[in-house]
Amino acid sequence: MGMHIDGKMGDVAETVLMPGDPARAKLIAETYLTDVTCYSSTRQMFGFTGMYQGKRVSVQGSGMGMPSISIYAHELIHDFGAQKIIRVGSCGAFRPEIELGDIILAQSASTDSNMNSLVFKGMDYAPTASFDLLLRAYQVAQEKGIKVKVGNILSSDSFYGDDPEEWKLWARHNVLAVEMEAAALFTLAAKFDRQALAILTTSDNLATEKAASIEERETTFEKMATIALALAD
Ligand code: HPA
């Protein structure tokens, strides 16, 4: 029904987890959900719907970057009626005390992208997470004894930028970490009066130059998934 997502209205749950990697979407569905159906495999950007503790949840790959997540999130909202979209992904931390595997809840997302700048005619919109989802995610983390940091993150258009020092400008203004999708997701959710949050696992640290292996990155999503799935209702 969407141009990039198969299926029809009703195939997607009100709560959708969005990992960047479609293989991760499959793994989350297989690991945590029961009664799973795959509603879309267009471009191998898989989407699944199943049950988690009696609640219906979908998991949809977003791809990397703000243009990609914008296409999928727009269709989830506009064509499938998604109400809550929770990005689950990785980030590069800016502070030395943030360890690999630590969880960051994005309260707001600054950006070096021009996407919003064009929409808002050069004025400066502040992409913000849903307070309701943020509060509940924080409470779930507290209940489960999962350490989280909450704050501003950077959604960047480049992974391999030209200026290796540029992140320090953001770090000096208390931005915690960089990823590549949240600012667009928060803006889109606000436009359609839906809720969005980004829950991020630290996969690398720009201050200490530590990085998790591909294998570690694939296995450290348990805390993130546990928090995200608890937000379904
Ligand atoms: N940059 C952008 N996105 C990321 C990074 C990074 O260093 N690490 C994980 N996602």
Side-chain angles (χ1 to χ4, degrees):
M1 189 172 144
M3 292 200 41
H4 304 85
I5 305 177
D6 277 346
K8 55 186 187 312
M9 186 63 102
D11 286 351
V12 174
E14 289 197 355
T15 305
V16 186
L17 271 56
M18 285 194 98
D21 177 0
R24 175 66 61 87
K26 187 161 185 276
L27 195 57
I28 291 172
E30 283 170 354
T31 308
Y32 298 100
L33 306 186
T34 59
D35 309 297
V36 176
T37 56
C38 176
Y39 59 81
S40 183
S41 51
T42 305
R43 289 176 185 248
Q44 308 242 54
M45 195 60 81
F46 302 114
F48 302 90
T49 297
M51 298 297 291
Y52 177 78
Q53 297 182 350
K55 290 154 189 164
R56 198 158 173 258
V57 182
S58 293
V59 193
Q60 169 69 53
S62 72
M64 290 181 282
M66 288 183 266
S68 185
I69 197 170
S70 297
I71 291 168
Y72 292 103
H74 179 101
E75 292 182 15
L76 288 175
I77 290 171
H78 187 262
D79 302 329
F80 295 90
Q83 298 294 328
K84 295 175 200 202
I85 300 184
I86 301 142
R87 164 163 156 71
V88 286
S90 62
C91 66
F94 290 161
R95 300 176 158 272
E97 72 274 14
I98 302 178
E99 289 168 38
L100 301 186
D102 281 0
I103 304 285
I104 293 175
L105 305 179
Q107 179 176 18
S108 53
S110 300
T111 187
D112 58 19
S113 171
N114 248 359
M115 282 178 70
N116 275 356
S117 186
L118 291 170
V119 171
F120 293 96
K121 307 178 196 303
M123 294 177 285
D124 195 10
Y125 180 75
T128 308
S130 150
F131 180 71
D132 182 48
L133 286 184
L134 178 61
L135 177 64
R136 285 170 57 199
Y138 186 76
Q139 287 169 337
V140 169
Q142 300 282 89
E143 282 161 21
K144 297 190 186 292
I146 299 169
K147 184 175 85 172
V148 292
K149 273 210 162 7
V150 183
N152 194 0
I153 61 158
L154 172 66
S155 297
S156 177
D157 270 350
S158 45
F159 190 92
Y160 300 109
D162 277 333
D163 178 357
E165 302 284 305
E166 195 169 82
W167 65 272
K168 292 180 181 171
L169 173 63
W170 300 99
R172 281 200 299 275
H173 292 76
N174 208 16
V175 173
L176 300 177
V178 57
E179 52 84 81
M180 302 183 73
E181 293 83 14
L185 176 63
F186 292 176
T187 305
L188 205 52
K191 175 173 150 184
F192 287 102
D193 197 20
R194 308 297 160 96
Q195 295 182 283
L197 179 66
I199 305 174
L200 306 167
T201 302
T202 306
S203 63
D204 50 286
N205 189 309
L206 285 84
T208 62
E209 299 186 352
K210 285 186 191 155
S213 64
I214 287 180
E215 195 182 19
E216 284 167 327
R217 292 170 65 144
E218 278 173 3
T219 52
T220 54
F221 67 94
E222 192 177 333
K223 289 184 281 187
M224 183 166 66
T226 306
I227 298 172
L229 287 163
L231 302 177
D233 53 18

